[in-house]
Amino acid sequence: MKLTEKETEILEILDENSRADLNTIAKMAGVTTEEAEAIIQKLEDQKVIIDYSTMIDWRKVDGHEGVTAMIDVKVTPKRGVGFDEIAERIYRFQEVESVYLMSGVYDLSVVIRGRSMSDIARFVSEKLSTLDSVVSTTTHFILKRYKHDGKVFETGDDDKRIVVSP
């Protein structure tokens, strides 16, 4: 789909800050509030804008840390549908946050969240690996997030300079 310069500019503004209010977006894009609202509505209707999301550092919320895992999945694609059918079956599971078709040794990369490592293990052994097209999996547990979707989780603003005194 070919977008106008203003439509692209509004997408870039929303990509940087999806909480920006309509007046701010209009001013930044150099359009009226009504034009900005119409452009956003059009982009939502055409599914260019899929959703507005919040990024939360769950490590800072007691009792809600959870576990995130990235699972590399090797699959046998089906004739006529390729990887799409198995990817759809995987992304329909409630635990699954993301599914990506990848190049390299593995075909799909699946990101899931669970309350514990046992939840992740149960998902892999009971749900994911039992699917017909799944040949093998490799699970990687995320130990710490430093940066996600362009956002740094901890800035580490502490002054690390050595104090020098006479």
Side-chain angles (χ1 to χ4, degrees), residues 71-132:
I71 306 168
D72 297 327
V73 184
K74 184 179 285 254
V75 300
T76 304
K78 291 191 176 180
R79 185 180 306 273
V81 294
F83 297 100
D84 294 345
E85 184 179 288
I86 187 67
E88 182 177 348
R89 289 186 67 193
I90 292 170
Y91 72 61
R92 289 191 180 280
F93 288 116
Q94 157 185 336
E95 300 91 340
V96 175
E97 288 189 350
S98 307
V99 177
Y100 304 99
L101 179 61
M102 306 296 287
S103 63
V105 176
Y106 290 90
D107 304 305
L108 299 173
S109 180
V110 179
V111 179
I112 69 168
R113 265 188 74 73
R115 289 185 313 276
S116 66
M117 288 181 150
S118 296
D119 282 350
I120 305 290
R122 195 172 306 108
F123 172 81
V124 172
S125 65
E126 295 175 6
K127 295 180 179 179
L128 185 62
S129 63
T130 61
L131 296 173
D132 290 337

Side-chain angles (χ1 to χ4, degrees), residues 127-141:
K127 295 180 179 179
L128 185 62
S129 63
T130 61
L131 296 173
D132 290 337
S133 298
V134 173
V135 175
S136 67
T137 65
T138 301
T139 303
H140 309 275
F141 290 96

Side-chain angles (χ1 to χ4, degrees), residues 147-160:
K147 186 176 183 178
H148 181 76
D149 285 343
K151 306 295 182 198
V152 176
F153 274 65
E154 291 186 23
T155 59
D157 288 339
D158 298 339
D159 190 354
K160 302 221 187 307

Side-chain angles (χ1 to χ4, degrees), residues 1 7 21 28-29 31 44 49 54 106 109 132 149:
M1 156 187 307
E7 290 169 338
D21 66 84
M28 291 175 73
V31 296
E44 288 173 348
I49 297 174
T54 302
Y106 290 90
S109 180
D132 290 337
D149 285 343

